[in-house]
Amino acid sequence: MIRDASPADYAAIRAVLTAAFPTPAEADLVERLRAEGDARVELVADEGEGPIGCILYSPLRIERADRVLDCAALAPLAVSPAFQNKGLGGRLIEAGNERCRALGLCAIVVLGHPVYYPRFGFSPEAAESLDAPFSGRSFMALALEPGALTAGGKVHYARAFGV
Amino acid sequence: MAALRAWFAQQGFIEAEPGALTRAPGAETHIDAFETRGLYLHTSPEFAMKKLLAAGEEKIFFLGKAYRAGERGPLHAPEFTLLEWYRAGAPYERIMEDCVALVRAACNAIGADRLAWRDANCDPYAEEERLTAAEAFSAHAGHDLLGAAISSEAFSRLLTAHVEPCLGQTRLTMLREYPLSEAALARRCAHDPRVAERFELYACGVELANGFGELTDPVEQRTRLEAAMAEKLRVYGQSWPIDEDFLAALAYMPPASGCALGVDRLVMLASGATHIDQVLWTPPP
């Protein structure tokens, strides 16, 4: 099942992230985002024995001439190696995106695998108009509010990203 | 291990055995060391090896244990086997060639014709791919590394999450020319002062080795060590002493290139192991 992360899960989330990535950089990022109050949506996949997957969304602002859009950056997403290729990542993304929609956010931005994320509605085309530290086919976005990404704007990540 | 030692013997190298206990355990911002009674276990024998170069040795290697605290995972153990070697008077391209030759020598000794890790596998005998860090970040993270400065944490995060998984697929990848801020012990590239002579060897998305055209300017070395230690203090709340003997020796050190290779990882990839503990005789608790 997919549920909200709680402080009791933090050690297990660190274990998932360090097992899924070759260095602790992603685990450190998550802890820094939390410490700075920027873990806006944090979910875990748990089949009864504690977290085996996790996803985090942090606040992302898109500044346009007419308004500032309240959006989210999806990063990181991880599933323990022993439980990969079973659709858990997809369930985390679907639940997380739904939560962002319920929060009234305008869009979600991700830097990720160019074949995987389009399955969940993300596309590099949607991110094309944005003025961001990234570009190319790995930099993708999903508009939750229709038309949110058609007028460009400057992207500001949470401080912990360091970009 | 015998195959690696034989390779070095054939090339005319001398094996060095620096002590593991030291006052200054390393130069890296993001590596943590074991401390006991004011001394540290070395995170690599780099400072000691460079003192040997300053003393006149020309081809030296170390094959033994190094220690890094807080590192535990499928690819990390706090005690691990490191292979580190230096050539005085050689360009860093020569060390890149050594790296590839050593990987092949090890595969040959084990009888492995592929390296494998999780879903990836690569052919160590195919000609290696050579990419600059800027090319790799642009292709895999969509980020212009030399155009827009990013923090050291962001560099490390993007590398981990987006660049590394794409390296060493089907064949070995040599990632080189790192931004100066990510290469505390490397000399600047002659053709572009924004980048330094550092390379890493990747197989199946896994970092196997890290090499440098070594910095031999003691003044610039002090500046960079102090910057790395200041960053360490800022991020982790601790820093290491500067090894003054090392800085003094550097003035006498000839131009040299060197590299450190994770032997456990190489054995893992060549043997199909899925966790470093499977290739450690006595895995740490």
Side-chain angles (χ1 to χ4, degrees):
Chain A
M1 92 179 185
I2 308 295
R3 60 174 175 79
D4 280 298
S6 75
D9 297 320
Y10 290 169
I13 291 173
R14 184 167 186 90
V16 168
L17 288 163
T18 50
F21 291 101
T23 77
E26 299 294 291
D28 293 344
L29 172 72
V30 165
E31 285 168 13
R32 195 151 172 227
L33 284 166
R34 277 192 208 121
E36 293 177 353
D38 285 333
R40 186 155 206 175
V41 173
E42 186 174 10
L43 306 176
V44 294
D46 182 350
E47 293 185 338
E49 293 179 6
I52 50 174
C54 58
I55 193 168
L56 192 144
Y57 296 75
S58 54
L60 178 130
R61 281 183 303 122
I62 298 179
E63 280 182 9
R64 295 198 325 218
D66 57 334
R67 60 186 273 224
V68 175
L69 304 185
D70 192 8
C71 305
L74 189 178
L77 163 70
V79 175
S80 287
F83 299 94
Q84 287 176 3
N85 300 316
K86 293 179 164 63
L88 278 180
R91 285 167 51 205
L92 282 163
I93 296 172
E94 282 163 0
N97 287 4
E98 204 38 56
R99 190 69 67 82
C100 290
R101 196 185 300 275
L103 286 170
L105 303 184
C106 301
I108 303 168
V109 166
V110 69
L111 189 63
H113 197 286
V115 173
Y116 183 69
Y117 285 93
R119 288 191 219 158
F120 308 99
F122 292 91
S123 74
E125 292 76 21
E128 223 163 40
S129 71
L130 300 174
D131 174 7
F134 311 108
S135 63
R137 62 199 188 103
S138 297
F139 182 61
M140 293 169 273
L142 167 66
L144 298 176
E145 176 191 299
L149 297 172
T150 53
K154 186 163 175 55
V155 170
H156 297 274
Y157 278 84
R159 201 168 59 141
F161 283 91
V163 292
Chain B
M1 300 282 267
L4 295 172
R5 285 200 164 90
W7 188 89
F8 281 106
Q10 187 202 352
Q11 298 273 324
F13 276 74
I14 292 174
E15 182 164 3
E17 195 182 13
L21 269 180
T22 172
R23 285 191 193 285
E28 296 277 339
T29 302
H30 300 293
I31 287 178
D32 193 10
F34 289 99
E35 185 182 7
T36 174
R37 301 187 191 184
L39 293 173
Y40 297 89
L41 288 173
H42 66 180
T43 61
S44 100
E46 180 152 8
F47 295 157
M49 297 292 272
K50 287 183 174 174
K51 289 173 192 170
L52 279 173
L53 293 176
E57 290 297 340
E58 293 181 342
K59 291 193 274 185
I60 48 175
F61 78 99
F62 164 86
L63 179 56
K65 297 293 184 192
Y67 304 86
R68 295 179 183 181
E71 300 202 354
R72 202 76 184 100
L75 288 165
H76 291 91
E79 179 181 64
F80 62 101
T81 301
L82 191 68
L83 172 60
E84 190 162 308
W85 72 100
Y86 294 86
R87 285 180 186 269
Y92 87 140
E93 286 83 0
R94 179 66 198 274
I95 298 284
M96 291 187 200
E97 290 164 16
D98 286 349
C99 249
V100 174
L102 279 160
V103 168
R104 290 176 184 163
C107 288
N108 208 21
I110 298 174
D113 56 2
R114 307 292 292 178
L115 295 172
W117 172 248
R118 295 194 176 151
D119 294 337
N121 75 84
C122 90
D123 177 359
Y125 298 102
E127 189 187 347
E128 76 275 12
E129 170 188 38
R130 293 195 177 190
L131 275 181
T132 66
E135 287 165 353
F137 271 67
S138 166
H140 303 306
H143 181 75
D144 176 7
L145 202 52
L146 302 178
I150 52 173
S151 69
S152 180
E153 291 102 311
F155 178 88
S156 158
R157 211 187 69 71
L158 289 174
L159 185 69
T160 299
H162 304 295
V163 179
E164 287 185 340
C166 303
L167 305 180
Q169 305 295 326
T170 74
R171 57 188 174 135
L172 299 171
T173 298
M174 204 64 86
L175 188 67
R176 57 184 189 163
E177 295 182 14
Y178 280 60
L180 214 54
S181 56
E182 302 299 326
L185 294 163
R187 79 181 159 217
R188 283 171 203 259
C189 288
H191 67 89
D192 185 344
R194 295 171 298 176
V195 294
E197 290 187 356
R198 173 181 177 188
F199 70 86
E200 292 207 348
L201 175 69
Y202 284 88
C204 309
V206 176
E207 176 206 338
L208 286 182
N210 184 15
F212 300 97
E214 305 294 346
L215 184 64
T216 52
D217 175 344
V219 176
E220 184 163 356
Q221 180 65 83
R222 180 183 296 279
T223 306
R224 289 205 227 159
L225 272 177
E226 286 173 355
M229 291 305 119
E231 177 73 357
K232 193 176 199 65
L233 191 62
R234 183 183 75 77
V235 180
Y236 301 102
Q238 55 163 306
S239 73
W240 296 331
I242 302 280
D243 186 339
E244 294 296 339
D245 290 347
F246 163 65
L247 287 173
L250 213 54
Y252 302 96
M253 188 176 129
S257 298
C259 183
L261 184 148
V263 176
D264 311 286
R265 289 187 181 181
L266 177 56
V267 174
M268 286 174 69
L269 268 56
S271 63
T274 54
H275 196 287
I276 194 166
D277 286 358
Q278 294 164 2
V279 302
L280 297 177
W281 201 240
T282 49

